[in-house]
């Protein structure tokens, strides 16, 4: 479903993605973790071309992401993206946030879009806030609306860039619950996160990155119990002691 | 003697009103044109096409860096040498529109720059094209920081329009000059000119203040 082949990216002199080779199959949940500056956010943002790459190839469902002839509209309709800062449209209600893309990109009628939108808002547990504006919602509620918005185009893949990092601790679980539900329904997901409990429970494999390179990839069991690389061990020791 | 001049001034009032009319018409046409132009340029300054960005930047810098008087002279006196003959009225509206467009574009570009890039990224991720992003996501939010200074700019431009008097258009300022030759009481005559400009501009100033208050829509403010 998602395939990185020898992907490189530089920001000026910084080699932010260094020979990335990665495969995520349909239905899998890949978790990417690592210290800040390791390139994990950049990596996930290359999947829907929010960031360009310098060399290498990224294929999403057979489509070449970085080919200039690729229709970005069609590509992005198959990929939902959830941001750390939510990025909800503040001048629109929760329901309008969810229905905007289907109505404008897929040309769905307002009635149909709102019906589907309400089903999605129900799925994330927030249907009674459909007419509320983002400013009237808590962080956890906003992020759940953002997830519903990401699902609005019925994408094949959902990408999450540190979805809970900007949330107060009490709200983290409500968002993780929604993500667990999605994973159990078979959605292909790539999640950049520090939530190791979630990673252990839900992921098919965990990818550890450091300084632009993929250092280690393993199943949750292998990763947490038998890390092969010293850098992985170091990272785990720091992150698992609280 | 003063009373004689005052009565004379009162009798000339219709002439002043004609001047007001000219000022209002030229300003209105130029501000509408300038606003449309300003929005196009302001949006274009963020384009991915480098040539467009650079040429717009040069245009704006030039229009803002030279006096309006010079610009209107070029249009009225120099264009005919290149084969473009415009009447005074056309030259005035044309110049003022280009001049206004440059200043308004800065306000528009500034307003757009206040919108966090995350909004554009979220809209891109939803599959919206650049026009849809601009129309549905960016502009509605950008209008908030744009409208109050925009109306303020309108006031400045109306006052700048007094320059059109030098190419012979009978706006309020020119009526003042012509009148003061008959009624040599400068303070009285130009006092009236000032009051007339004020009465045109004051409603706009109030509108700008009202916008500033009303546009802080609580339910949008995260």
């Amino acid at each position: 479903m998602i395939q990185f082949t020898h992907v490189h990216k530089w920001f000026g002199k910084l080699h932010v993605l260094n020979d990335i080779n990665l495969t995520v199959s349909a239905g899998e949940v890949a978790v990417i973790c690592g210290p800040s500056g390791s390139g994990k956010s950049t990596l996930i943002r290359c999947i829907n071309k929010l960031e360009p790459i310098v060399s290498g190839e990224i294929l999403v469902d057979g489509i070449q992401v970085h080919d200039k002839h690729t229709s970005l509209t069609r590509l992005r309709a198959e990929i939902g993206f959830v941001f750390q800062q939510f990025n909800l449209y503040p001048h629109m209600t929760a329901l309008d946030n969810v229905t905007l893309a289907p109505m404008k990109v897929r040309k769905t009628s307002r009635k149909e879009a709102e019906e589907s939108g309400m089903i999605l808002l129900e799925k994330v547990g927030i249907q009674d806030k459909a007419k509320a504006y983002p400013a009237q919602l808590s962080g956890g509620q906003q992020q759940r609306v953002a997830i519903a918005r990401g699902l609005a185009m019925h994408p094949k893949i959902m990408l999450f860039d540190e979805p809970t990092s900007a949330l107060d601790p009490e709200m983290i679980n409500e968002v993780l619950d929604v993500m667990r539900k999605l994973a159990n329904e078979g959605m292909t997901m790539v999640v950049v996160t520090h939530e190791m409990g979630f990673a252990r429970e839900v992921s098919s494999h965990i990818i550890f990155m450091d300084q632009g390179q993929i250092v280690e990839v393993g199943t949750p069991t292998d990763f947490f119990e038998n890390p092969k690389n010293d850098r992985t061990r170091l990272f785990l020791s720091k992150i698992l002691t609280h | 003697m003063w009373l004689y001049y005052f009565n004379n001034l009162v009798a000339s009032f219709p002439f002043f009103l004609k001047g007001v009319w000219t000022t209002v018409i030229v300003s209105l046409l130029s501000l509408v044109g300038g606003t449309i132009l300003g929005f196009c340029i302001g949006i274009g300054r963020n384009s991915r096409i480098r040539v467009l960005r650079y040429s717009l930047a040069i245009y704006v810098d030039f229009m803002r860096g030279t006096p309006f008087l010079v610009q209107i002279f070029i249009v009225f006196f120099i264009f005919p040498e290149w084969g473009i003959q415009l009447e005074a009225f056309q030259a005035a509206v044309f110049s003022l529109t280009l001049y206004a467009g440059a200043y308004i574009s800065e306000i528009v570009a500034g307003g757009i720059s206040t919108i966090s890039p995350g909004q554009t990224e979220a809209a891109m991720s939803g599959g919206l094209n650049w026009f849809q992003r601009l129309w549905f996501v960016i502009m509605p939010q950008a209008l908030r920081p744009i409208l109050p200074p925009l109306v303020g700019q309108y006031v400045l431009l109306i006052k700048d329009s007094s320059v059109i008097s030098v190419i012979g258009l009978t706006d309020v300022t020119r009526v003042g000059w012509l009148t003061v030759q008959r009624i040599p009481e400068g303070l009285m005559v130009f006092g009236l000119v000032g009051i007339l400009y004020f009465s045109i501009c004051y409603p706009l100033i109030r509108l700008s203040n009202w916008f500033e208050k009303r546009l802080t829509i609580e339910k949008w403010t995260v």
Side-chain angles (χ1 to χ4, degrees):
Chain A
M1 186 62 79
I2 305 176
Q3 196 165 337
F4 280 65
T5 316
H6 296 302
V7 173
H8 289 267
K9 183 178 169 65
W10 281 268
F11 274 142
K13 287 220 185 104
L14 182 66
H15 202 169
V16 61
L17 291 179
N18 192 341
D19 200 25
I20 305 290
N21 294 287
L22 181 63
T23 309
V24 180
S25 309
E28 286 188 337
V29 176
V31 167
I32 307 178
C33 63
S36 62
S38 54
K40 37 191 216 296
S41 276
T42 311
L43 188 150
I44 200 176
R45 287 159 62 96
C46 289
I47 298 177
N48 75 342
K49 213 180 176 182
L50 281 180
E51 300 277 354
I53 57 175
V54 175
S55 72
E57 196 180 78
I58 302 179
L59 286 169
V60 168
D61 200 21
I63 304 173
Q64 282 256 28
V65 175
H66 293 268
D67 185 276
K68 52 182 182 212
H69 299 294
T70 305
S71 158
L72 282 178
T73 314
R74 271 201 304 134
L75 172 74
R76 287 170 176 163
E78 298 302 334
I79 306 175
F81 201 104
V82 178
F83 297 85
Q84 181 176 346
Q85 300 298 332
F86 332 138
N87 288 335
L88 289 180
Y89 310 131
H91 58 297
M92 295 176 156
T93 62
L95 183 61
D96 287 338
N97 260 270
V98 176
T99 59
L100 181 69
M103 289 201 306
K104 303 303 168 191
V105 181
R106 288 241 167 91
K107 314 280 189 226
T108 323
S109 72
R110 175 170 281 276
K111 195 166 165 301
E112 250 187 85
E114 289 192 347
E115 271 171 27
S116 317
M118 284 305 289
I119 295 174
L120 285 173
L121 287 176
E122 225 174 304
K123 186 185 190 123
V124 303
I126 212 164
Q127 69 275 30
D128 46 333
K129 299 282 185 185
K131 295 297 184 181
Y133 284 86
Q136 300 164 320
L137 302 174
S138 73
Q141 292 170 326
Q142 287 187 53
Q143 194 61 302
R144 286 187 278 151
V145 175
I147 295 176
R149 181 177 65 173
L151 293 169
M153 302 279 273
H154 302 291
K156 298 206 175 91
I157 300 171
M158 284 289 281
L159 303 177
F160 296 82
D161 188 0
E162 301 206 38
T164 57
S165 297
L167 294 174
D168 287 341
E170 325 85 82
M171 298 191 244
I172 294 180
N173 264 320
E174 66 193 58
V175 173
L176 291 182
D177 280 340
V178 173
M179 291 168 69
R180 274 187 204 107
K181 215 201 300 196
L182 278 178
N184 288 333
E185 289 171 1
M187 173 65 79
T188 311
M189 295 162 61
V190 180
V191 185
V192 174
T193 186
H194 298 294
E195 294 291 325
M196 292 299 139
F198 173 81
R200 189 172 226 155
E201 237 189 275
V202 172
S203 66
S204 341
H205 49 287
I206 301 181
I207 300 152
F208 173 64
M209 277 185 80
D210 191 13
Q211 294 178 350
Q213 290 177 297
I214 293 182
V215 173
E216 191 165 335
V217 181
T219 62
T221 343
D222 286 340
F223 188 80
F224 287 108
E225 271 145 53
N226 277 327
K228 293 188 208 98
N229 197 298
D230 282 336
R231 271 189 283 174
T232 319
R233 264 186 266 262
L234 184 63
F235 176 72
L236 285 174
S237 69
K238 288 195 191 151
I239 199 167
L240 291 175
T241 39
H242 60 85
Chain B
M1 201 54 187
W2 187 92
L3 193 59
Y4 169 69
Y5 286 139
F6 184 75
N7 286 329
N8 222 319
L9 189 65
V10 170
S12 316
F13 197 66
F15 191 30
F16 278 90
L17 283 185
K18 271 202 74 194
V20 169
W21 177 247
T22 306
T23 295
V24 166
I25 280 287
V26 172
S27 302
L28 192 65
L29 291 173
S30 308
L31 292 182
V32 169
T35 304
I36 296 169
L37 184 64
F39 270 84
C40 292
I41 297 176
I43 292 166
R45 302 274 317 248
N46 291 313
S47 163
R48 271 167 304 163
I49 307 166
R50 213 190 299 175
V51 176
L52 184 65
R53 276 202 322 264
Y54 282 18
S55 33
L56 290 178
I58 293 172
Y59 168 82
V60 172
D61 285 348
F62 176 77
M63 299 303 283
R64 290 178 71 213
T66 52
F68 179 48
L69 184 66
V70 170
Q71 294 172 23
I72 202 172
F73 269 178
I74 293 176
V75 172
F76 192 61
F77 293 119
I78 319 258
F79 272 23
E81 300 192 14
W82 301 335
I84 309 172
Q85 190 90 9
L86 290 172
E87 282 176 32
F89 183 81
Q90 296 166 332
V93 174
F94 181 73
S95 298
L96 193 55
T97 300
L98 292 183
Y99 182 73
Y103 281 87
I104 292 173
S105 78
E106 287 286 284
I107 295 173
V108 172
I112 293 176
S113 72
T114 67
I115 309 303
S116 104
Q119 289 292 301
T120 305
E121 290 180 350
M124 279 174 140
S125 301
L128 297 165
N129 64 36
W130 76 266
F131 181 76
Q132 293 167 328
R133 295 197 292 264
L134 199 64
W135 188 262
F136 294 111
V137 177
I138 305 297
M139 269 310 169
Q141 297 182 59
L143 282 181
R144 234 208 302 158
I146 288 174
L147 281 177
L150 181 65
V151 179
Q153 186 66 49
Y154 287 166
V155 172
L156 294 174
L157 291 166
I158 292 171
K159 293 190 292 179
D160 282 339
S161 76
S162 55
V163 164
I164 63 180
S165 53
V166 301
I167 58 170
L169 280 175
T170 334
D171 72 329
V172 187
T173 306
R174 186 132 207 277
V175 171
W177 281 118
L178 295 172
T179 309
V180 87
Q181 287 164 34
R182 295 186 297 113
I183 308 173
E185 281 287 332
L187 180 60
M188 201 191 294
V189 174
F190 282 99
L192 179 59
V193 170
I195 289 170
L196 289 172
Y197 271 112
F198 184 77
S199 55
I200 300 171
C201 295
Y202 185 64
L204 284 177
I205 297 173
R206 298 282 296 171
L207 186 69
S208 173
N209 292 341
W210 183 81
F211 268 146
E212 213 157 354
K213 282 211 203 120
R214 276 284 274 131
L215 287 181
T216 323
I217 303 173
E218 261 84 51
K219 55 183 180 180
W220 289 16
T221 328
V222 181

